[in-house]
Amino acid sequence: VQLVDSGGGLVQPGRSLRLSCAASGFTFDDFAMHWVRQAPGKGLEWVAGISWNSGSIAYAHSLKGRFTISRDNAKNSVVLQMNSLRSEDTAVYFCARDSHSSVGAIGGYFAHWGQGTVVTVSS
Amino acid sequence: DIQMTQSPSSLSASVGDRVTITCRASQSIRTSLNWYQQKPGTAPKLLISFASTLQNGVPSRFSGSGSGTDFTLTITTVQPEDFATYFCQQSYSSQYTFGQGTKLEIK
């Protein structure tokens, strides 16, 4: 199993950024996928999750609709579109694979993670 | 949202010590509780799922227990490679909340 995160960088407040996670080594459309972030020196914060067929999607309530998660099963990839970025969105963003196929399935766990991609929001 | 509270936030221990970290949920999550270990500059590593199921390859000195709202992670004999930060995570709701972390440091 391999997850490779990309797309991070330095962006000004109010702008947008698109993160990608390329998956390999497993049947991608058997699993839900998530994004988790970690601000500098802080703990882990779950950001968003998407079911195997995009039929169920969930977001952290704190994001207030600014982020959109999507997946392309033909390309084995998951994307996080981040709009109206704020300084508090500065973090390392990790994609992670759920143990289940659906978001919200009780008892899911994240056994596989990408290496993370750094997002810095600053003017 | 379900809140997860870990204690302590930091812990000093010597090699060979027994260490216990506690995680409390704001409502019952049955056994939908996972534990992760994270070392600086790396992604988290899953140690335990379903409150007490040790992942393949994780040393048996790690164990988890609890159900409902109160959970513990125990390291029976701390080894040098165990000094890291530990996070609990609930997967009872689709918000997948993490605890704030417990940093295990060398005394």
Side-chain angles (χ1 to χ4, degrees), chain B residues 9-44:
Chain B
S9 56
S10 64
L11 180 58
S12 294
S14 300
V15 173
D17 283 354
R18 177 187 181 96
V19 164
T20 298
I21 298 169
T22 297
C23 181
R24 175 165 288 176
S26 59
Q27 67 182 73
S28 176
I29 58 170
R30 302 185 189 175
T31 56
S32 300
L33 191 283
N34 307 314
W35 289 100
Y36 299 86
Q37 176 195 66
Q38 188 182 32
K39 296 181 179 179
T42 69

Short mmCIF file of all heavy atoms in Angstrom, two decimals, chain B residues 9-44:
data_model
loop_
_atom_site.label_atom_id
_atom_site.label_comp_id
_atom_site.label_asym_id
_atom_site.label_seq_id
_atom_site.Cartn_x
_atom_site.Cartn_y
_atom_site.Cartn_z
N SER B 9 -1.09 15.30 29.15
CA SER B 9 -0.66 15.85 27.86
C SER B 9 0.81 15.56 27.60
O SER B 9 1.25 15.50 26.45
CB SER B 9 -0.92 17.35 27.80
OG SER B 9 -0.29 18.00 28.88
N SER B 10 1.56 15.37 28.67
CA SER B 10 2.95 14.94 28.54
C SER B 10 3.32 14.06 29.71
O SER B 10 2.69 14.12 30.78
CB SER B 10 3.90 16.14 28.45
OG SER B 10 3.87 16.88 29.65
N LEU B 11 4.33 13.25 29.49
CA LEU B 11 4.68 12.22 30.47
C LEU B 11 6.16 11.94 30.35
O LEU B 11 6.66 11.73 29.24
CB LEU B 11 3.86 10.97 30.13
CG LEU B 11 3.99 9.72 30.97
CD1 LEU B 11 3.66 9.99 32.42
CD2 LEU B 11 3.07 8.64 30.41
N SER B 12 6.86 11.95 31.45
CA SER B 12 8.28 11.60 31.47
C SER B 12 8.45 10.21 32.05
O SER B 12 7.86 9.90 33.09
CB SER B 12 9.07 12.61 32.31
OG SER B 12 9.07 13.88 31.71
N ALA B 13 9.24 9.39 31.39
CA ALA B 13 9.45 8.03 31.86
C ALA B 13 10.86 7.58 31.52
O ALA B 13 11.52 8.14 30.63
CB ALA B 13 8.44 7.10 31.20
N SER B 14 11.29 6.58 32.23
CA SER B 14 12.60 5.96 31.99
C SER B 14 12.40 4.66 31.24
O SER B 14 11.33 4.04 31.32
CB SER B 14 13.32 5.70 33.31
OG SER B 14 13.52 6.90 34.03
N VAL B 15 13.43 4.25 30.52
CA VAL B 15 13.39 2.95 29.85
C VAL B 15 13.10 1.87 30.88
O VAL B 15 13.71 1.85 31.97
CB VAL B 15 14.71 2.68 29.10
CG1 VAL B 15 14.73 1.25 28.56
CG2 VAL B 15 14.89 3.68 27.97
N GLY B 16 12.13 1.01 30.57
CA GLY B 16 11.76 -0.05 31.48
C GLY B 16 10.53 0.25 32.33
O GLY B 16 9.97 -0.66 32.95
N ASP B 17 10.13 1.51 32.36
CA ASP B 17 8.95 1.89 33.13
C ASP B 17 7.68 1.36 32.49
O ASP B 17 7.62 1.08 31.28
CB ASP B 17 8.83 3.42 33.23
CG ASP B 17 9.79 4.02 34.23
OD1 ASP B 17 10.47 3.27 34.95
OD2 ASP B 17 9.85 5.27 34.30
N ARG B 18 6.63 1.30 33.30
CA ARG B 18 5.28 1.01 32.80
C ARG B 18 4.56 2.35 32.68
O ARG B 18 4.59 3.16 33.61
CB ARG B 18 4.54 0.10 33.78
CG ARG B 18 3.10 -0.21 33.41
CD ARG B 18 2.42 -0.98 34.53
NE ARG B 18 1.03 -1.31 34.21
CZ ARG B 18 0.65 -2.46 33.71
NH1 ARG B 18 1.55 -3.40 33.45
NH2 ARG B 18 -0.62 -2.70 33.46
N VAL B 19 3.91 2.55 31.54
CA VAL B 19 3.27 3.83 31.27
C VAL B 19 1.81 3.61 30.87
O VAL B 19 1.51 2.67 30.12
CB VAL B 19 4.02 4.54 30.11
CG1 VAL B 19 3.21 5.67 29.53
CG2 VAL B 19 5.37 5.04 30.57
N THR B 20 0.93 4.47 31.37
CA THR B 20 -0.48 4.40 31.02
C THR B 20 -0.97 5.77 30.57
O THR B 20 -0.72 6.77 31.24
CB THR B 20 -1.33 3.91 32.20
OG1 THR B 20 -0.91 2.58 32.55
CG2 THR B 20 -2.81 3.88 31.82
N ILE B 21 -1.64 5.79 29.44
CA ILE B 21 -2.24 7.00 28.90
C ILE B 21 -3.75 6.79 28.85
O ILE B 21 -4.22 5.72 28.46
CB ILE B 21 -1.70 7.29 27.48
CG1 ILE B 21 -0.18 7.53 27.54
CG2 ILE B 21 -2.41 8.48 26.85
CD1 ILE B 21 0.47 7.55 26.17
N THR B 22 -4.48 7.81 29.23
CA THR B 22 -5.93 7.71 29.31
C THR B 22 -6.60 8.57 28.24
O THR B 22 -6.12 9.66 27.92
CB THR B 22 -6.41 8.16 30.70
OG1 THR B 22 -5.87 7.27 31.67
CG2 THR B 22 -7.91 8.16 30.80
N CYS B 23 -7.69 8.07 27.72
CA CYS B 23 -8.50 8.81 26.74
C CYS B 23 -9.95 8.70 27.16
O CYS B 23 -10.44 7.59 27.43
CB CYS B 23 -8.28 8.22 25.35
SG CYS B 23 -9.18 9.04 24.01
N ARG B 24 -10.63 9.83 27.23
CA ARG B 24 -12.03 9.85 27.64
C ARG B 24 -12.87 10.49 26.54
O ARG B 24 -12.54 11.57 26.04
CB ARG B 24 -12.20 10.59 28.94
CG ARG B 24 -13.65 10.78 29.39
CD ARG B 24 -13.72 11.19 30.84
NE ARG B 24 -13.37 10.06 31.71
CZ ARG B 24 -13.28 10.16 33.04
NH1 ARG B 24 -13.50 11.32 33.63
NH2 ARG B 24 -12.98 9.11 33.76
N ALA B 25 -13.97 9.83 26.20
CA ALA B 25 -14.90 10.36 25.20
C ALA B 25 -16.04 11.09 25.89
O ALA B 25 -16.44 10.72 27.00
CB ALA B 25 -15.44 9.22 24.35
N SER B 26 -16.59 12.10 25.22
CA SER B 26 -17.67 12.90 25.82
C SER B 26 -19.01 12.17 25.82
O SER B 26 -19.95 12.62 26.46
CB SER B 26 -17.80 14.22 25.07
OG SER B 26 -18.09 14.01 23.70
N GLN B 27 -19.09 11.06 25.08
CA GLN B 27 -20.26 10.19 25.12
C GLN B 27 -19.78 8.79 24.78
O GLN B 27 -18.64 8.61 24.32
CB GLN B 27 -21.33 10.67 24.14
CG GLN B 27 -20.92 10.54 22.68
CD GLN B 27 -21.99 11.06 21.74
OE1 GLN B 27 -22.20 12.26 21.62
NE2 GLN B 27 -22.63 10.15 21.04
N SER B 28 -20.65 7.81 24.97
CA SER B 28 -20.23 6.44 24.70
C SER B 28 -19.88 6.24 23.23
O SER B 28 -20.62 6.65 22.34
CB SER B 28 -21.34 5.46 25.09
OG SER B 28 -20.95 4.13 24.72
N ILE B 29 -18.75 5.60 23.01
CA ILE B 29 -18.32 5.25 21.66
C ILE B 29 -18.11 3.74 21.54
O ILE B 29 -17.44 3.26 20.63
CB ILE B 29 -17.04 6.01 21.23
CG1 ILE B 29 -15.88 5.73 22.20
CG2 ILE B 29 -17.31 7.51 21.13
CD1 ILE B 29 -14.54 6.26 21.69
N ARG B 30 -18.73 3.01 22.49
CA ARG B 30 -18.55 1.56 22.53
C ARG B 30 -17.05 1.23 22.54
O ARG B 30 -16.35 1.65 23.44
CB ARG B 30 -19.26 0.90 21.38
CG ARG B 30 -20.77 1.18 21.34
CD ARG B 30 -21.45 0.40 20.24
NE ARG B 30 -22.83 0.81 20.07
CZ ARG B 30 -23.61 0.35 19.09
NH1 ARG B 30 -23.17 -0.55 18.21
NH2 ARG B 30 -24.86 0.76 18.98
N THR B 31 -16.57 0.50 21.55
CA THR B 31 -15.14 0.21 21.47
C THR B 31 -14.54 0.80 20.19
O THR B 31 -13.51 0.31 19.70
CB THR B 31 -14.86 -1.30 21.53
OG1 THR B 31 -15.59 -1.95 20.49
CG2 THR B 31 -15.25 -1.88 22.88
N SER B 32 -15.15 1.84 19.67
CA SER B 32 -14.67 2.46 18.42
C SER B 32 -13.55 3.45 18.71
O SER B 32 -13.67 4.66 18.47
CB SER B 32 -15.84 3.14 17.70
OG SER B 32 -16.83 2.20 17.37
N LEU B 33 -12.46 2.95 19.22
CA LEU B 33 -11.36 3.77 19.69
C LEU B 33 -10.04 3.22 19.14
O LEU B 33 -9.76 2.02 19.28
CB LEU B 33 -11.34 3.79 21.23
CG LEU B 33 -10.45 4.77 21.99
CD1 LEU B 33 -8.99 4.35 22.02
CD2 LEU B 33 -10.60 6.19 21.49
N ASN B 34 -9.30 4.09 18.51
CA ASN B 34 -8.01 3.72 17.92
C ASN B 34 -6.89 4.50 18.59
O ASN B 34 -7.09 5.62 19.06
CB ASN B 34 -8.01 4.03 16.42
CG ASN B 34 -9.18 3.41 15.70
OD1 ASN B 34 -9.50 2.24 15.90
ND2 ASN B 34 -9.86 4.20 14.87
N TRP B 35 -5.71 3.90 18.62
CA TRP B 35 -4.51 4.55 19.15
C TRP B 35 -3.44 4.62 18.07
O TRP B 35 -3.20 3.64 17.36
CB TRP B 35 -3.94 3.78 20.34
CG TRP B 35 -4.76 3.85 21.59
CD1 TRP B 35 -5.64 2.92 22.07
CD2 TRP B 35 -4.76 4.92 22.55
NE1 TRP B 35 -6.17 3.33 23.27
CE2 TRP B 35 -5.65 4.56 23.59
CE3 TRP B 35 -4.07 6.15 22.66
CZ2 TRP B 35 -5.89 5.38 24.69
CZ3 TRP B 35 -4.32 6.95 23.74
CH2 TRP B 35 -5.21 6.56 24.75
N TYR B 36 -2.80 5.78 17.98
CA TYR B 36 -1.74 6.02 17.01
C TYR B 36 -0.49 6.52 17.74
O TYR B 36 -0.59 7.21 18.75
CB TYR B 36 -2.14 7.07 15.98
CG TYR B 36 -3.36 6.70 15.15
CD1 TYR B 36 -4.64 6.97 15.62
CD2 TYR B 36 -3.22 6.08 13.92
CE1 TYR B 36 -5.76 6.63 14.88
CE2 TYR B 36 -4.34 5.73 13.16
CZ TYR B 36 -5.60 6.02 13.66
OH TYR B 36 -6.71 5.67 12.91
N GLN B 37 0.65 6.18 17.16
CA GLN B 37 1.94 6.70 17.61
C GLN B 37 2.51 7.58 16.51
O GLN B 37 2.46 7.21 15.33
CB GLN B 37 2.90 5.53 17.87
CG GLN B 37 4.31 5.93 18.27
CD GLN B 37 5.26 4.74 18.15
OE1 GLN B 37 5.54 4.23 17.07
NE2 GLN B 37 5.76 4.28 19.29
N GLN B 38 3.03 8.73 16.88
CA GLN B 38 3.65 9.60 15.88
C GLN B 38 5.00 10.09 16.36
O GLN B 38 5.13 10.60 17.47
CB GLN B 38 2.75 10.80 15.55
CG GLN B 38 3.28 11.61 14.37
CD GLN B 38 2.42 12.82 14.06
OE1 GLN B 38 1.82 13.42 14.94
NE2 GLN B 38 2.37 13.20 12.77
N LYS B 39 5.99 9.95 15.49
CA LYS B 39 7.32 10.48 15.76
C LYS B 39 7.52 11.73 14.90
O LYS B 39 6.90 11.86 13.83
CB LYS B 39 8.38 9.42 15.47
CG LYS B 39 8.23 8.23 16.42
CD LYS B 39 9.27 7.16 16.19
CE LYS B 39 9.07 6.01 17.19
NZ LYS B 39 10.04 4.92 17.01
N PRO B 40 8.38 12.64 15.34
CA PRO B 40 8.53 13.93 14.63
C PRO B 40 8.83 13.76 13.14
O PRO B 40 9.67 12.95 12.75
CB PRO B 40 9.70 14.58 15.37
CG PRO B 40 9.64 14.01 16.74
CD PRO B 40 9.20 12.59 16.56
N GLY B 41 8.11 14.51 12.33
CA GLY B 41 8.34 14.53 10.89
C GLY B 41 7.81 13.33 10.14
O GLY B 41 8.09 13.19 8.94
N THR B 42 7.04 12.49 10.80
CA THR B 42 6.50 11.30 10.14
C THR B 42 4.98 11.23 10.30
O THR B 42 4.40 11.90 11.15
CB THR B 42 7.11 10.01 10.69
OG1 THR B 42 6.66 9.80 12.03
CG2 THR B 42 8.64 10.06 10.68
N ALA B 43 4.36 10.39 9.47
CA ALA B 43 2.92 10.17 9.57
C ALA B 43 2.62 9.32 10.80
O ALA B 43 3.46 8.56 11.27
CB ALA B 43 2.41 9.47 8.32
N PRO B 44 1.42 9.45 11.32
CA PRO B 44 1.02 8.59 12.44
C PRO B 44 1.04 7.11 12.03
O PRO B 44 0.85 6.77 10.88
CB PRO B 44 -0.41 9.04 12.74
CG PRO B 44 -0.48 10.44 12.21
CD PRO B 44 0.39 10.44 10.99
#
